Amino acid sequence: MNSIKTIVLIVLAAGMLQTAFGQVSPEIQLGARGVMSFNTDITGNQKTTSVNDFSDTGLLLGFRQKMYNRFRGQLVIGLQFPDADSDLGQVFFHQTFLLLEDQKNILKMGRSRVRSALIEFPTLRDDDALAFTDVLNPFSSGENTEDNQYGNVIELAHVFAQRYWLTAHGEHFTRTPVPPATSETDFSLNAVGFSFVYMVPETQIWNRPFIQQLGIGFNNFLTDRQGYSNQFDQTLKNILVSGVFNLKPDPIYFVDARFQVVYNLGFKEVKTIGNFYDLTRARAAAHFFSLRFLYRKLERPTLQLALSGGFKVFPDLTQKARQWQVVFNAFYRLGENFDLAFQVQQAQFTGDLKTLYGKSETRFQVGLVYSIDQRWNKQFDDRNSLLNLEHGYIP
């Protein structure tokens, strides 16, 4: 009899403990974006090519969990279809990381977007103006645009007053293997830096001040520069300055302007550009700007028009070299999360850049974009929406 009572008491106690310390179910996130376009390219020699492009289409899964204290944890796994001419295969994992955060502190470790840019511009794909909008990877051969955008990262951010973001990062940018090697073997950190950004929260979308965002960043690549043993002299240094301004913060007829300057201090011995390695190590200044108009109907984005352009100069080269680009696009919402897109780009090159890219290139794109961001067992706010990890053509 006493044994039965003991078992009953144990079962009751276990039930009470399970009720008190029951498993906390995670929030499950699903994010996906399909970008399909028909591209027509016209190069300087009047050669025309047309392709059906579905690059940058991706799928993301996220799981967020409450911790036993004020923090919360998150696991994200994402795959993406890379550019057709890359050697990354049919798909590659561009996001695989763990994140731990509270209201003011964020720790991120894994594979994700590197800090090669401070802001986004309203382009169809994130690499449409890559030479101007991102710090270029000096360890890559330049064959894969994703080498400049994704890598192994460790980031620590602190948020002051919900608007000031101080972020320190260490990163491993992908290295193109040197023959006869066929795959990367060294995954040590090869880039460090920090950024300080003032950013108005998205929750104030209907009450935007004139200054939406201002930021400065420092990206330093730990290269193996020949002839220099001092680590500081071997470091390739880049400075980024950016801003977003709400010229007309009207909730229906909205207009904003964006700019970013990337200054690469470079190495003084680089006087000619014969390949991508020289391009990333030459002293250069890239400037890019955009003016965007967004029409909202019934508080939903309906039509977006954007004109963007930039130029890049290389002051130390023996032969004067410059690069220009202009991008115009329009997006029209056909239905919930479904958009019709049109974009035209014009790029021109002078000096040594003509050896790498030709004299000019014009690209016409007509496409469709579909985006979803779904959550189950919702527990948290939208600061870490999965689609925030992807390029947003409507910033």
Side-chain angles (χ1 to χ4, degrees):
M1 189 68 177
N2 291 334
S3 299
I4 296 177
K5 289 182 178 180
T6 301
I7 293 174
V8 171
L9 290 174
I10 292 174
V11 171
L12 291 174
M16 294 174 64
L17 288 174
Q18 185 176 9
T19 303
F21 303 100
Q23 180 180 0
V24 179
S25 299
E27 177 183 283
I28 301 175
Q29 305 166 282
L30 170 65
R33 174 163 289 147
V35 184
M36 312 291 172
S37 64
F38 183 77
N39 303 349
T40 299
D41 292 354
I42 304 175
T43 59
N45 56 9
Q46 302 304 310
K47 180 181 179 181
T48 303
T49 58
S50 297
V51 297
N52 183 22
D53 187 359
F54 57 89
S55 61
D56 285 13
T57 295
L59 177 68
L60 291 161
L61 290 175
F63 307 90
R64 290 199 286 191
Q65 188 80 51
K66 293 180 180 178
M67 300 289 100
Y68 293 142
N69 46 35
R70 68 180 186 273
F71 285 87
R72 65 189 185 193
Q74 182 184 33
L75 165 66
V76 172
I77 300 176
L79 56 87
Q80 190 181 85
F81 292 90
D83 296 333
D85 57 353
S86 73
D87 60 2
L88 298 174
Q90 293 296 318
V91 297
F92 80 108
F93 287 91
H94 65 309
Q95 305 279 356
T96 307
F97 65 84
L98 286 172
L99 184 142
L100 190 65
E101 67 175 345
D102 65 0
Q103 185 179 13
K104 296 183 178 181
N105 303 284
I106 305 172
L107 173 64
K108 182 178 182 180
M109 300 177 66
R111 179 172 182 81
S112 187
R113 186 70 159 88
V114 292
R115 292 281 174 177
S116 57
L118 290 178
I119 63 175
E120 285 193 348
F121 288 90
T123 55
L124 178 60
R125 291 182 171 89
D126 56 359
D127 56 1
D128 286 338
L130 187 69
F132 305 91
T133 60
D134 287 68
V135 176
L136 300 180
N137 180 357
F139 310 106
S140 170
S141 64
E143 297 178 359
N144 305 323
T145 60
E146 291 83 0
D147 290 350
N148 305 285
Q149 300 166 303
Y150 300 100
N152 301 340
V153 305
I154 177 170
E155 294 180 3
L156 181 61
H158 183 76
V159 185
F160 301 88
Q162 301 183 13
R163 295 194 178 201
Y164 301 90
W165 292 66
L166 177 62
T167 304
H169 64 265
E171 300 165 331
H172 170 79
F173 277 72
T174 300
R175 291 178 181 268
T176 300
V178 179
T182 58
S183 61
E184 190 174 11
T185 58
D186 182 5
F187 295 95
S188 58
L189 294 181
N190 54 23
V192 295
F194 68 93
S195 62
F196 185 70
V197 177
Y198 166 82
M199 180 169 50
V200 177
E202 285 297 321
T203 53
Q204 297 191 14
I205 191 171
W206 303 115
N207 185 30
R208 293 176 171 176
F210 174 72
I211 299 177
Q212 180 71 20
Q213 182 174 330
L214 284 176
I216 183 170
F218 299 89
N219 292 54
N220 306 287
F221 296 100
L222 310 178
T223 69
D224 51 355
R225 184 184 184 188
Q226 299 300 318
Y228 293 85
S229 59
N230 184 285
Q231 185 61 64
F232 183 81
D233 292 333
Q234 289 183 323
T235 301
L236 182 64
K237 308 169 189 68
N238 290 266
I239 304 172
L240 299 86
V241 179
S242 67
V244 181
F245 306 97
N246 300 317
L247 303 183
K248 185 178 181 181
D250 185 270
I252 299 178
Y253 304 100
F254 176 76
V255 180
D256 71 358
R258 297 164 180 260
F259 85 91
Q260 182 173 265
V261 178
V262 180
Y263 180 53
N264 182 354
L265 275 66
F267 297 144
K268 61 183 180 180
E269 65 267 19
V270 180
K271 298 297 183 181
T272 60
I273 296 178
N275 52 42
F276 191 78
Y277 294 102
D278 296 334
L279 178 70
T280 60
R281 288 164 169 77
R283 188 159 71 97
H287 311 75
F288 204 72
F289 312 87
S290 74
L291 183 65
R292 179 176 69 114
F293 166 75
L294 179 63
Y295 169 65
R296 294 178 181 271
K297 183 179 181 180
L298 301 178
E299 299 186 358
R300 297 177 182 270
T302 303
L303 174 67
Q304 176 179 284
L305 303 174
L307 178 63
S308 306
F311 63 95
K312 191 172 186 178
V313 296
F314 301 83
D316 288 350
L317 298 185
T318 303
Q319 183 179 3
K320 185 178 180 180
R322 289 179 178 268
Q323 182 177 354
W324 295 271
Q325 184 171 356
V326 177
V327 182
F328 171 78
N329 54 40
F331 296 92
Y332 181 75
R333 180 135 295 179
L334 299 174
E336 188 68 23
N337 302 321
F338 208 99
D339 298 88
L340 175 66
F342 170 78
Q343 181 169 279
V344 58
Q345 306 175 56
Q346 169 67 31
Q348 292 186 338
F349 311 92
T350 65
D352 292 344
L353 298 179
K354 290 193 294 184
T355 305
L356 296 180
Y357 304 111
K359 183 179 179 180
S360 65
E361 181 181 8
T362 304
R363 172 175 291 184
F364 297 91
Q365 297 173 281
V366 178
L368 297 171
V369 180
Y370 180 57
S371 304
I372 60 172
D373 190 357
Q374 185 68 41
R375 285 188 286 176
W376 294 271
N377 193 26
K378 182 177 179 180
Q379 303 174 29
F380 305 106
D381 56 63
D382 293 331
R383 184 168 78 177
N384 289 332
S385 167
L386 282 184
L387 287 185
N388 288 346
L389 299 173
E390 301 293 291
H391 171 68
Y393 60 92
I394 298 181

